Structure formats: C-alpha cells, structure tokens
Amino acid sequence: MSSLLSRLNPVPSFPAYTGPYNVGTQELEIPISDLPTSNPPPDANVTTVSFRLFYPCEPTKPKSVYWLPSPQGEYFRAYARFLSAGPRLASFLSYLPILRLVFHTTIPASQDAPLLPPPEQIGRWPVMVFSHGLGGTKNAYSHLTGSLASHGMVVVTPEHRDGSAPISVIHSTDGSPRKVVDYRALPHKPSPEVDENRNTQLKIRLWELGTIHEVLLKLDRNPMQLHNIGARTSQGPGLLAMFASALDVHTPGKISWSGHSFGAATVVQFIKSVYYHESHPSNGYAPLYRPTSDSSLVSQVTPSSTITLLDLWTLPLLSSSTSYLWSKPLPAYKSRSGSPPLAVLSEAFFKWTSNLRETKRAISSPVGETSALVAKPHIFYPIASAHLSQSDFGPLFPWATRKIFKVEDPERTLRLNVRAILESLRRSGVKVADTSALDMELEISNTPGLEQPEGDQAFQLAQDHKILATDGSIKGWMSIPLDDSSAFANANGHATETKHPSDAMIQGEVMKE
C-alpha cells in the first residue's frame, strides 16, 4: 500500500537509501573567523564556508529536510534562470502549482539526528569530501552522498561560492546584510578569457576545500569553538559536539576526495596542488592554491588518498595556469601502496572522445614510465546514462530524464555508481558496510535491514567483486580500456565517436568544443 501511495504522490521523491544505517544530516555555515589558521579567501566577500553533512545516525523520529535549499523561492528562480529563463519567466514559473511541488520534496535523512557511535572495529567514521559541478549545490547530490553515508561514512558536500551554483547565500556574523553569489555563465569553449575566469573559480573552490579540511579537524577536536550560523533551526551545543573524536580525519591519507564534472576537476587540481606544493618550476608557474609546508593538509594528502572522479570535465585543467600540475601524475603513482583512482563516466561523456582521452590521461600513470602502483585505475560507464545521472535529477525526475536524455533506469544507474565507489573504498582499506544482496542483484537476497551490522563481517574488504571487474558480467556496466585512444566500442560493439555531447545535468552545463 505504501508503495502504491508513493507512486500516486505527485511530489518528486527519492528512493530509500539501501545501506544498513539510518542517515542524519546537518547544514553548516562556518565563519572563517572561527579558523584563525585559515588562509585568506581569494574573494574577500567569501567570509564563510557552507556545506551539508550526511552521516550514520541513531534510529530517531524523522525530521524532514527539504531538498531545495533555503530560501527556496530564490533557489527555484535561480535554477529557472540557469535553464535560460528570463527573470520574469523565472518568477512566473515559481508560482505555478505543478512546479511548486518540488518545494515539498524532502531528502530521506533526518535533520540534526544524533550521530551513531562508530563501531569498535573501525574506531572512527571514514570521511569523504564531495565537490559539486556547475549548477550544483550542497543538496544536489544528496542521494549518492546519503547512500554512501548509509554504508558508514560521513560525507561533506560543500556549496561553492565561485559562481558555479545557481545561487548561494553568504550570511554574516556582524549583523550586516547577507551577500548573494549568483551563477556566472561562462562559455565552454577555451579562450584566454575563459581560462582566466575558470582559474578564478578554481582558486575559490580549492581554498574552500582547504578551509573545510580545517573545519573537519576542529569539528573532531574542538567543535564547541565553531559557530554554525547557517543552521535552519536553533542548535544546541551537542549537535556539533557529537562529532568530537568520531571522525577519521587525522591519519594521513584517510580522507576520501570525490567530485562530479567541474567538481571532479576541482578534486584533481586540489590533490595535486597539495601534494606538489613545494614544486617551483622555472617557467614562472604561479599555483592557484598552495598550503603552507607545515599544514596538516600536506600530511593528509598522500598516495593512499582515495579519489573518485564522476564525469571528469577536463577543460578547466588545461589552461596555461593549470597545465604544469596537469603534467604531473596523481599521488597514487608515487608509491607502491597508492590507492588506484576510480573514474565513472556517463555514456555521453564516454562518447565525448577528446574529454575521454584526457580523462584517461588524468587517472593513469605517466606515459613512458613504469608505474610503482600494482593495481590499475578503474574506469567504467553505465549504458544509457546522462551527465545528470550522477546527481539527484535522475531519481527525482525519472520520467523527464528518460524522455529527454534517453536514460533507461535512473535509479539503477545511481546504484551502480554507489556500488563502484564503495568497492573502490574497500579495496583501498576504507571500512564501509557491505553492499546489500539486493543492490548486487543477487537471486538469493539476504539484504540487511536498517539495524547496525555487527562484527567484522559488516566490514569485509572487496565484498562486491563484480562491480570493478572488467569482464562485463554486470548488465549495462561497461569497463573502458585504458590503452585504446582511437575509437571506442559501444555496447553493441560498434565504433562510436562524439565530439559534442548533447545532454547535461541542466542546459548550462552542455559542453561543446
């Protein structure tokens, strides 16, 4: 009956998370004045960092979290403008009852729920930072990041204030008016002007990731010194204090880094900026971000740091200011114990051959060198998937994505992404809970319930073997060969080459050469 009522409900909704843990969430906006060691922001107007946390929580009475960020009307109109609607049309659309249904869409996580104590066998919860793409927000990947949290992770989803979100609000602590950062539309064709503007965005994004690392350290050590000025409701001191001594953020290489599209490019640039922070080439190279040598961030980013790149958009990494680090390999290839990166593409980005070629280059060992890494990088794509398939838009609007972008099964596509990320983490030694038999599409299902798993069996490594296998044993899940740089075969074995992908998360992120 509940399933029938769900199908009849006109409000767009998410499927339930499939991991064994309940999921809690908090919305945070932390003033940089709380972080005296923070480098000054590249833009003086950016005085806070904003992000959402998804985490395993105690069973509790659900407290709704609206998917459309607050202020909802402003975000809705900003999305409409992002889709090329004029200001008047955007305002008109925001009052249409059929479209206002999305105002009632909730994330299946409980707002401000108590953090579940980490099981003894892991000690502290593993942490991932996830960077959004163009048109994204701290909520726009909630199903993927919430699914990871339901398997035993704390996932941090920043909202970048670089003009890549449809809109973002910066609050103040001194009573001055809030600042609004609007979306900044830039061409997707490279030029000196575009490169300069993308570099400006990257500077902000990299600084934000470095600053969020500082927040995570303080959240684990001294959470009472942080002031959350972005909370929707009045927070008691315990809501941040519960994270004290519960996050695995101090051991080198333990924080995982992930992103989608421009966010994936941000992660590549960030990891290399930190790892190669002491590089001083003679060609006048000026880094977009450079931590101090004594920064704890420098010791955090190591060859064992796990990296997940979803639909990596390589254009921002090919400018004159980023090309020096682009020529450097990922840290994974600097150690025999390095964690191989994972790249998951949509079918559209798989067919975008020039971007695919650069994606392979980004995740591979240097050409002409023998890699010290025993394991090779993982790279896959699900058939009939769009650029938006790794965001919330697929499961929220399945009919539209099927009709417009020819996506066959948005929910399954996202589950395949989650499975690949979880298995990649396991193989890198990150203890996350088992993938359910239902998600692995096994005939005999012993799917865990929502109770906390017990014992070491809940944290087996390499538990979902098939998802990273290259034998094509999973329907519609295609391994991409790293050594084929010409044409690539589609699911039917026919060569395919596309230079202009026609689908995107939303119109503003259609990328053409």
Side-chain angles (χ1 to χ4, degrees):
M1 178 62 71
S2 61
S3 176
L4 175 61
L5 292 175
S6 176
R7 289 195 296 269
L8 293 176
N9 187 351
V11 176
S13 61
F14 291 101
Y17 302 131
T18 57
Y21 295 108
N22 293 296
V23 177
T25 185
Q26 280 196 36
E27 183 178 358
L28 283 80
E29 185 175 2
I30 305 297
I32 62 173
S33 57
D34 284 3
L35 307 164
T37 62
S38 177
N39 293 324
D43 184 338
N45 289 317
V46 183
T47 55
T48 67
V49 286
S50 176
F51 57 93
R52 181 171 287 282
L53 290 175
F54 293 89
Y55 54 89
C57 73
E58 298 274 13
T60 185
K61 183 179 179 181
K63 187 177 180 182
S64 296
V65 182
Y66 289 111
W67 176 73
L68 199 63
S70 179
Q72 287 188 309
E74 291 188 41
Y75 270 87
F76 184 95
R77 289 187 288 273
Y79 266 122
R81 293 192 299 272
F82 188 66
L83 288 165
S84 300
R88 289 185 179 180
L89 178 58
S91 180
F92 171 75
L93 293 174
S94 69
Y95 289 101
L96 287 180
I98 187 65
L99 296 180
R100 286 184 67 87
L101 290 173
V102 74
F103 284 53
H104 303 283
T105 295
T106 57
I107 297 172
S110 185
Q111 179 75 32
D112 299 334
L115 177 72
L116 187 71
E120 290 185 9
Q121 60 266 41
I122 67 170
R124 291 170 179 255
W125 291 117
V127 174
M128 173 182 282
V129 178
F130 187 96
S131 176
H132 68 72
L134 298 180
T137 68
K138 56 181 170 285
N139 292 3
Y141 300 83
S142 70
H143 195 64
L144 185 147
T145 53
S147 294
L148 295 172
S150 77
H151 286 83
M153 294 197 80
V154 174
V155 186
V156 185
T157 60
E159 183 164 288
H160 294 297
R161 270 66 175 277
D162 63 329
S164 62
I167 190 174
S168 189
V169 178
I170 302 175
H171 297 93
S172 69
T173 56
D174 59 5
S176 59
R178 64 177 192 167
K179 301 181 182 73
V180 174
V181 181
D182 290 312
Y183 179 74
R184 188 176 185 187
L186 297 172
H188 294 291
K189 188 174 182 179
S191 71
E193 182 181 2
V194 169
D195 289 348
E196 181 180 356
N197 286 315
R198 290 297 182 203
N199 288 339
T200 297
Q201 290 184 308
L202 274 174
K203 286 180 181 179
I204 295 173
R205 284 169 160 258
L206 302 178
W207 173 83
E208 286 172 324
L209 294 187
T211 303
I212 284 173
H213 175 258
E214 293 182 26
V215 173
L216 290 173
L217 296 181
K218 182 162 282 191
L219 194 62
D220 184 78
R221 286 175 174 161
N222 301 296
M224 301 301 288
Q225 296 180 9
L226 296 173
H227 302 89
N228 183 13
I229 65 173
R232 292 191 185 184
T233 57
S234 177
Q235 285 192 335
L239 285 178
L240 292 183
M242 67 185 179
F243 293 103
S245 302
L247 307 179
D248 196 356
V249 293
H250 305 291
T251 307
K254 284 298 185 179
I255 297 178
S256 302
W257 307 91
S258 183
H260 176 248
S261 194
F262 194 17
T266 301
V267 166
V268 171
Q269 188 70 19
F270 178 74
I271 291 295
K272 291 184 178 182
S273 295
V274 175
Y275 190 76
Y276 296 107
H277 70 284
E278 292 185 336
S279 296
H280 296 283
S282 58
N283 61 356
Y285 161 72
L288 301 180
Y289 176 76
R290 176 177 280 166
T292 58
S293 297
D294 59 351
S295 167
S296 57
L297 180 59
V298 169
S299 60
Q300 176 57 231
V301 174
T302 73
S304 62
S305 298
T306 55
I307 299 172
T308 304
L309 308 174
L310 307 181
D311 259 358
L312 170 63
W313 179 33
T314 60
L315 178 64
L317 303 177
L318 305 177
S319 73
S320 58
S321 296
T322 56
S323 60
Y324 172 73
L325 287 181
W326 176 248
S327 67
K328 297 285 188 181
L330 287 171
Y333 299 103
K334 292 295 185 177
S335 169
R336 186 167 289 276
S337 60
S339 296
L342 167 68
V344 183
L345 281 63
S346 63
E347 184 169 0
F349 268 49
F350 165 71
K351 291 180 178 179
W352 185 8
T353 53
S354 61
N355 194 76
L356 174 60
R357 182 175 59 250
E358 300 299 346
T359 297
K360 289 183 176 185
R361 180 182 174 189
I363 66 171
S364 300
S365 57
V367 176
E369 295 185 17
T370 301
S371 171
L373 186 66
V374 176
K376 293 182 178 180
H378 309 291
I379 179 168
F380 295 87
Y381 80 94
I383 293 173
S385 57
H387 189 50
L388 53 71
S389 295
Q390 291 156 324
S391 74
D392 285 347
F393 290 86
L396 266 189
F397 310 106
W399 180 88
T401 55
R402 291 188 185 103
K403 190 75 172 177
I404 300 171
F405 301 111
K406 311 303 179 187
V407 173
E408 289 185 356
D409 191 339
E411 289 185 23
R412 182 175 186 267
T413 294
L414 204 51
R415 286 199 304 271
L416 290 170
N417 274 267
V418 172
R419 286 177 60 185
I421 295 171
L422 289 170
E423 186 63 9
S424 176
L425 291 169
R426 292 188 192 102
R427 296 190 185 189
S428 295
V430 181
K431 291 185 177 181
V432 291
D434 287 353
T435 301
S436 70
L438 183 63
D439 279 359
M440 290 193 293
E441 301 170 349
L442 301 179
E443 292 184 6
I444 301 176
S445 175
N446 296 312
T447 310
L450 291 179
E451 71 279 4
Q452 179 183 347
E454 298 179 358
D456 293 336
Q457 292 302 309
F459 301 98
Q460 298 178 38
L461 300 183
Q463 177 256 353
D464 188 1
H465 300 272
K466 288 186 177 181
I467 195 66
L468 296 184
T470 59
D471 57 4
S473 57
I474 295 179
K475 178 184 175 183
W477 181 246
M478 307 299 292
S479 173
I480 302 175
L482 285 167
D483 56 356
D484 185 356
S485 60
S486 55
F488 302 94
N490 63 19
N492 298 317
H494 303 301
T496 178
E497 181 169 348
T498 304
K499 292 185 178 179
H500 305 289
S502 60
D503 67 289
M505 177 175 166
I506 26 189
Q507 184 177 348
E509 200 165 359
V510 173
M511 286 165 274
K512 297 183 178 180
E513 299 178 87

Coordinates of all heavy atoms in Angstrom, one line a residue, residues 242-276:
M242 N 28.8 16.2 19.1 CA 28.7 14.8 18.9 C 29.7 14.3 17.9 O 30.0 13.1 17.8 CB 27.3 14.4 18.5 CG 26.9 14.9 17.1 SD 25.1 14.5 16.8 CE 24.9 15.2 15.1
F243 N 30.3 15.2 17.1 CA 31.3 14.7 16.1 C 32.7 14.7 16.8 O 33.6 14.2 16.1 CB 31.3 15.7 14.9 CG 30.1 15.6 14.1 CD1 29.1 16.6 14.2 CD2 29.8 14.6 13.3 CE1 28.0 16.6 13.5 CE2 28.7 14.5 12.5 CZ 27.7 15.5 12.6
A244 N 32.9 15.1 18.0 CA 34.2 15.1 18.6 C 34.7 13.7 18.7 O 34.0 12.8 19.2 CB 34.1 15.8 20.0
S245 N 36.0 13.5 18.3 CA 36.7 12.2 18.4 C 36.0 11.1 17.7 O 36.1 9.9 18.0 CB 36.9 11.8 19.9 OG 37.6 12.8 20.6
A246 N 35.2 11.5 16.7 CA 34.4 10.4 15.9 C 34.8 10.4 14.4 O 34.3 9.5 13.7 CB 32.9 10.7 16.1
L247 N 35.6 11.3 14.0 CA 35.9 11.4 12.5 C 37.4 11.0 12.3 O 38.3 11.5 12.9 CB 35.7 12.8 12.1 CG 34.3 13.4 12.4 CD1 34.2 14.9 11.8 CD2 33.2 12.6 11.8
D248 N 37.6 10.2 11.3 CA 38.9 9.7 10.9 C 39.5 10.7 9.9 O 39.6 10.5 8.7 CB 38.8 8.3 10.3 CG 40.2 7.7 10.2 OD1 41.2 8.3 10.6 OD2 40.3 6.5 9.8
V249 N 40.0 11.9 10.5 CA 40.5 13.0 9.7 C 41.9 13.3 10.0 O 42.5 14.3 9.4 CB 39.6 14.2 9.8 CG1 38.2 14.0 9.3 CG2 39.5 14.7 11.3
H250 N 42.5 12.6 10.9 CA 43.9 13.0 11.3 C 44.9 12.0 10.7 O 46.1 12.5 10.5 CB 44.0 13.0 12.9 CG 43.0 13.8 13.5 ND1 43.1 15.2 13.5 CD2 42.0 13.5 14.3 CE1 42.1 15.7 14.2 NE2 41.4 14.7 14.7
T251 N 44.6 10.8 10.5 CA 45.5 9.8 9.9 C 45.8 10.2 8.5 O 44.9 10.4 7.7 CB 45.0 8.4 10.0 OG1 44.6 8.1 11.3 CG2 46.0 7.4 9.5
P252 N 47.1 10.3 8.1 CA 47.4 10.7 6.7 C 46.7 9.7 5.7 O 46.7 8.5 5.8 CB 48.9 10.6 6.7 CG 49.4 10.8 8.1 CD 48.3 10.2 8.9
G253 N 46.2 10.3 4.7 CA 45.6 9.6 3.6 C 44.2 9.0 3.8 O 43.6 8.4 2.9
K254 N 43.6 9.3 5.0 CA 42.3 8.7 5.3 C 41.1 9.4 4.8 O 40.0 8.8 4.6 CB 42.2 8.6 6.8 CG 43.0 7.4 7.4 CD 42.6 6.1 6.9 CE 43.3 4.9 7.5 NZ 42.9 3.6 7.0
I255 N 41.2 10.7 4.5 CA 40.0 11.5 4.0 C 39.9 11.1 2.5 O 40.9 11.2 1.7 CB 40.2 13.0 4.2 CG1 40.2 13.3 5.7 CG2 39.0 13.7 3.5 CD1 40.3 14.8 5.9
S256 N 38.7 10.8 2.0 CA 38.5 10.5 0.6 C 38.0 11.8 -0.1 O 37.3 12.6 0.5 CB 37.4 9.4 0.5 OG 37.8 8.2 1.1
W257 N 38.4 11.9 -1.4 CA 38.0 13.1 -2.1 C 37.3 12.7 -3.4 O 37.7 11.8 -4.1 CB 39.3 13.9 -2.5 CG 40.1 14.2 -1.3 CD1 41.1 13.4 -0.8 CD2 40.0 15.3 -0.4 NE1 41.7 14.0 0.4 CE2 41.0 15.2 0.6 CE3 39.2 16.4 -0.4 CZ2 41.2 16.1 1.6 CZ3 39.4 17.4 0.6 CH2 40.3 17.2 1.6
S258 N 36.2 13.4 -3.7 CA 35.4 13.0 -4.8 C 34.7 14.2 -5.4 O 34.5 15.3 -4.7 CB 34.3 11.9 -4.4 OG 33.5 11.5 -5.5
G259 N 34.2 14.1 -6.6 CA 33.5 15.3 -7.2 C 32.9 14.9 -8.6 O 33.3 13.8 -9.1
H260 N 32.0 15.7 -9.0 CA 31.3 15.5 -10.3 C 31.6 16.6 -11.3 O 31.5 17.8 -10.9 CB 29.8 15.4 -10.1 CG 29.0 15.2 -11.3 ND1 28.1 16.2 -11.8 CD2 28.9 14.2 -12.2 CE1 27.5 15.8 -12.9 NE2 28.0 14.6 -13.2
S261 N 32.0 16.3 -12.5 CA 32.2 17.3 -13.5 C 33.2 18.3 -13.1 O 34.4 18.0 -13.0 CB 30.9 17.9 -13.9 OG 30.9 18.6 -15.1
F262 N 32.8 19.6 -13.0 CA 33.7 20.6 -12.6 C 34.3 20.3 -11.2 O 35.4 20.6 -10.8 CB 33.0 22.0 -12.6 CG 33.9 23.2 -12.5 CD1 35.3 23.1 -12.7 CD2 33.4 24.4 -12.1 CE1 36.1 24.2 -12.6 CE2 34.2 25.6 -12.0 CZ 35.6 25.4 -12.2
G263 N 33.4 19.6 -10.4 CA 33.9 19.2 -9.0 C 35.0 18.2 -9.1 O 35.9 18.1 -8.3
A264 N 34.9 17.3 -10.1 CA 35.9 16.3 -10.3 C 37.2 17.0 -10.7 O 38.3 16.6 -10.2 CB 35.5 15.2 -11.3
A265 N 37.1 18.0 -11.6 CA 38.3 18.7 -12.0 C 38.9 19.4 -10.8 O 40.1 19.5 -10.6 CB 37.9 19.7 -13.1
T266 N 38.0 20.0 -9.9 CA 38.5 20.6 -8.7 C 39.3 19.7 -7.8 O 40.3 20.1 -7.3 CB 37.3 21.2 -7.9 OG1 36.5 22.1 -8.7 CG2 37.7 21.9 -6.6
V267 N 38.8 18.4 -7.7 CA 39.5 17.5 -6.8 C 40.9 17.1 -7.4 O 41.9 17.1 -6.7 CB 38.6 16.2 -6.7 CG1 39.5 15.0 -6.1 CG2 37.4 16.4 -5.8
V268 N 41.0 17.0 -8.7 CA 42.3 16.7 -9.3 C 43.2 17.8 -9.1 O 44.4 17.6 -8.6 CB 42.1 16.5 -10.9 CG1 43.5 16.4 -11.5 CG2 41.3 15.2 -11.1
Q269 N 42.8 19.1 -9.3 CA 43.7 20.2 -9.1 C 44.0 20.4 -7.6 O 45.1 20.7 -7.3 CB 43.0 21.5 -9.6 CG 43.8 22.7 -9.6 CD 44.9 22.7 -10.7 OE1 44.8 21.9 -11.6 NE2 45.9 23.5 -10.6
F270 N 43.1 20.1 -6.7 CA 43.3 20.3 -5.3 C 44.3 19.2 -4.8 O 45.3 19.6 -4.1 CB 42.0 20.1 -4.5 CG 42.1 20.2 -3.0 CD1 42.3 21.4 -2.4 CD2 42.0 19.0 -2.3 CE1 42.4 21.5 -1.0 CE2 42.1 19.1 -0.9 CZ 42.4 20.3 -0.3
I271 N 44.1 18.0 -5.2 CA 45.1 16.9 -4.7 C 46.5 17.2 -5.2 O 47.4 17.1 -4.4 CB 44.6 15.6 -5.2 CG1 43.3 15.2 -4.5 CG2 45.6 14.5 -5.0 CD1 43.4 14.9 -3.0
K272 N 46.6 17.6 -6.4 CA 48.0 17.9 -7.0 C 48.5 19.2 -6.4 O 49.7 19.3 -6.1 CB 47.9 18.0 -8.5 CG 47.6 16.7 -9.2 CD 47.7 16.8 -10.7 CE 47.5 15.5 -11.4 NZ 47.6 15.6 -12.9
S273 N 47.7 20.2 -6.2 CA 48.2 21.4 -5.5 C 48.8 21.2 -4.2 O 49.8 21.8 -3.8 CB 47.0 22.4 -5.4 OG 46.6 22.8 -6.7
V274 N 48.1 20.3 -3.4 CA 48.6 20.0 -2.1 C 49.9 19.1 -2.1 O 50.9 19.3 -1.5 CB 47.5 19.3 -1.2 CG1 48.1 18.9 0.1 CG2 46.3 20.3 -1.1
Y275 N 49.8 18.0 -2.9 CA 50.9 17.1 -3.0 C 52.2 17.7 -3.5 O 53.3 17.4 -3.1 CB 50.4 15.8 -3.8 CG 51.4 14.7 -3.7 CD1 51.4 13.9 -2.5 CD2 52.3 14.4 -4.7 CE1 52.3 12.8 -2.4 CE2 53.2 13.3 -4.6 CZ 53.2 12.6 -3.4 OH 54.1 11.5 -3.3
Y276 N 52.0 18.5 -4.5 CA 53.2 19.1 -5.2 C 53.4 20.6 -4.7 O 53.9 21.4 -5.5 CB 53.0 19.1 -6.7 CG 53.0 17.7 -7.3 CD1 51.8 17.1 -7.7 CD2 54.1 16.9 -7.3 CE1 51.8 15.9 -8.3 CE2 54.1 15.6 -7.9 CZ 52.9 15.1 -8.3 OH 52.9 13.8 -8.9

